[in-house]
């Protein structure tokens, strides 16, 4: 089954998203640096770019940079005066991402903030409101990241929360083998964080939300999408 998901993902990437040297190089450099292959797929990255464009986003906040793959897509969805702040805990990931952003020609639009995202978020009040949020870091903190996103938003801001299905484990705690975002094992804390975040998305008075399951090159997973009301 996973082979078919992969084949279809490749077909959609080749047919709809199209080839992209800068992004292929970013993936290559990330792999070479020994970092995990847990970036969004090209089709998902393009969705982020389209959301930024549809929203007319001028300020984007990303939590979880890794090698900057999703960051490049987000930056491409904005005009030249747009700005992405991307929070990353690992200095080495931030260095690789910075080089990838430079190669992709979007580094002028992106500011990587190194450190624990919860500390960084606490210092971003003066730079709010943000028009679009992409939350894709340590899943245990997802409820806190979501609360921060609401605090740093305005009505009409869009929030995307990644990896909310996790091979089905979000429902029953068990991971279907080889279908999780990281190929199988998922920490209990990640599941708890994701479930609490989904409950918040469904009950928060200032959020109108949905969640979508996906299959593809990264297995069986999904994302949640919300608008701040
Ligand atoms: C799934 S990866 C991000 C993938 C990236 N968004 C993409 O699609 O290209 C998660 C990243 O979050 C970072 N991270 C984990 N915990 C963090 C924290 N507390 N604060 C900031 N970043 C964190 C990890 O080091 C990792 O680089």
């Amino acid at each position: 089954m996973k082979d078919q998901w992969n084949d279809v993902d490749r077909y959609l990437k080749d047919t709809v998203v199209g080839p992209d040297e800068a992004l292929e190089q970013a993936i290559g450099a990330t792999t070479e640096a020994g970092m995990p292959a847990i970036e969004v797929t090209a089709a998902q990255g393009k969705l982020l770019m389209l959301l930024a464009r549809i929203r007319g986003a001028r300020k984007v906040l990303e939590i979880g940079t890794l090698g900057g793959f999703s960051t490049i897509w987000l930056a491409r969805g904005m005009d030249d005066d747009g700005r992405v702040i991307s929070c990353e805990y690992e200095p080495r990931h931030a260095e690789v991402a910075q080089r990838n952003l430079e190669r992709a020609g979007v580094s002028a639009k992106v500011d990587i903030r190194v450190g624990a995202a919860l500390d960084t978020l606490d210092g971003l009040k003066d730079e709010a409101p943000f028009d679009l949020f992409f939350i894709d870091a340590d899943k245990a903190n997802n409820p806190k990241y979501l609360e921060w996103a609401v605090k740093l938003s305005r009505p009409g801001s869009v929030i995307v929360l990644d990896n909310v299905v996790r091979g089905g484990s979000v429902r029953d705690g068990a991971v279907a083998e080889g279908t999780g975002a990281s190929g199988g094992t998922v920490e209990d804390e990640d599941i708890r964080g994701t479930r609490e975040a989904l409950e918040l998305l469904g009950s928060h008075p200032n959020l109108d939300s949905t969640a979508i399951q996906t299959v593809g090159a990264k297995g069986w997973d999904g994302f949640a999408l919300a608008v701040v009301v």
Side-chain angles (χ1 to χ4, degrees), residues 27 35-41 44-45 48 62-74 86-91 93-94 113-120 134-139 141 145 162-163:
I27 301 257
M35 289 153 62
I38 49 174
E39 72 285 343
V40 294
T41 64
Q44 289 163 347
L48 294 173
E62 176 178 63
I63 305 175
T65 319
L66 191 70
F69 188 78
S70 54
T71 325
I72 293 171
W73 279 113
L74 288 164
S86 187
C87 307
E88 174 54 52
Y89 182 71
E90 295 283 349
H93 292 187
R113 303 278 173 98
V114 180
L118 286 175
D119 296 337
T120 306
F134 180 47
I135 303 173
D136 186 23
D138 50 326
K139 312 304 174 187
N141 276 322
Y145 294 148
D162 205 14
N163 307 125

Side-chain angles (χ1 to χ4, degrees), residues 40-88:
V40 294
T41 64
Q44 289 163 347
K46 182 95 187 248
L47 174 66
L48 294 173
M49 186 196 108
L50 292 173
L51 285 171
R53 190 169 282 173
I54 291 164
R55 184 66 202 87
R58 297 171 67 87
K59 283 192 199 173
V60 171
L61 179 57
E62 176 178 63
I63 305 175
T65 319
L66 191 70
F69 188 78
S70 54
T71 325
I72 293 171
W73 279 113
L74 288 164
R76 284 179 174 178
M78 305 167 78
D79 291 341
D80 287 344
D81 60 350
R83 185 151 178 250
V84 183
I85 293 182
S86 187
C87 307
E88 174 54 52

